[in-house]
């Protein structure tokens, strides 16, 4: 996904988003971090959405994502870009929620029919210090 929190050489890095003119000119300083996270997240979702679309629905059996990738998987499920089985390992939903970048996704997943939710496995421990 070409994502990194701090590596500005990654196309979808959060720090690169912080340094962009868009971040500095269209947002209040108090919104810079949350906005950069949201921009990076949406860019990563777009990368994966495009990969799924270009490969076709029969190309993959299971969608698996961990941490940031788990949150990206949740977004793809919520918008209907992925309708098959999924495993999300410690999805970074709470971290994104803290910055206001995930509310709609959480609501959309909560509203999925039971048979759709049954295809999704979320693995997360309460001792995870990075993603609570």
């Amino acid at each position: 996904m070409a994502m990194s929190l701090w590596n500005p050489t990654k196309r979808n890095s959060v720090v690169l988003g912080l340094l962009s003119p868009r971040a500095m000119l269209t947002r209040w300083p108090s919104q810079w971090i949350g906005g950069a996270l949201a921009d990076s997240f949406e860019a990563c979702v777009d990368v994966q959405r495009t990969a799924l679309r270009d490969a076709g629905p029969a190309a993959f059996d299971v969608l698996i994502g961990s941490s940031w990738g788990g949150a990206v998987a949740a977004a793809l499920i919520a918008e209907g870009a992925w309708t098959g089985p999924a495993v999300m390992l410690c999805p970074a939903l709470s971290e994104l929620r803290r910055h206001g970048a995930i509310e709609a996704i959480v609501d959309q997943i909560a509203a999925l029919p039971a048979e759709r939710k049954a295809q999704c496995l979320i693995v997360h421990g309460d001792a995870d210090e990075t993603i609570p």
Side-chain angles (χ1 to χ4, degrees):
M1 291 183 286
M3 189 279 181
S4 170
L5 287 177
W6 304 114
N7 184 346
T9 65
K10 301 288 186 178
R11 181 172 35 100
N12 297 321
S13 92
V14 174
V15 74
L16 189 62
L18 285 170
L19 300 173
S20 75
R22 177 179 180 221
M24 294 183 190
L25 299 174
T26 64
R27 295 181 175 126
W28 293 102
S30 63
Q31 299 170 322
W32 286 353
I33 293 174
L37 275 169
D39 291 346
S40 175
F41 180 74
E42 186 49 46
C44 290
V45 171
D46 189 52
V47 166
Q48 297 306 319
R49 181 187 306 114
T50 300
L52 288 170
R53 184 190 64 231
D54 291 352
F60 306 104
D61 296 321
V62 178
L63 179 65
I64 300 173
S66 175
S67 191
W68 188 264
V72 169
L76 294 167
I77 292 164
E79 71 180 33
W82 178 256
T83 58
V87 178
M88 293 163 274
L89 306 168
C90 304
L93 296 171
S94 60
E95 180 62 27
L96 289 165
R97 174 177 268 166
R98 192 176 2 218
H99 295 287
I102 201 98
E103 294 301 322
I105 293 167
V106 171
D107 292 343
Q108 288 168 317
I109 291 212
L112 288 173
E115 62 274 3
R116 183 67 193 96
K117 288 180 189 174
Q119 290 186 294
C120 299
L121 174 64
I122 298 175
V123 179
H124 201 113
D126 59 7
D128 188 327
E129 294 178 10
T130 305
I131 303 296

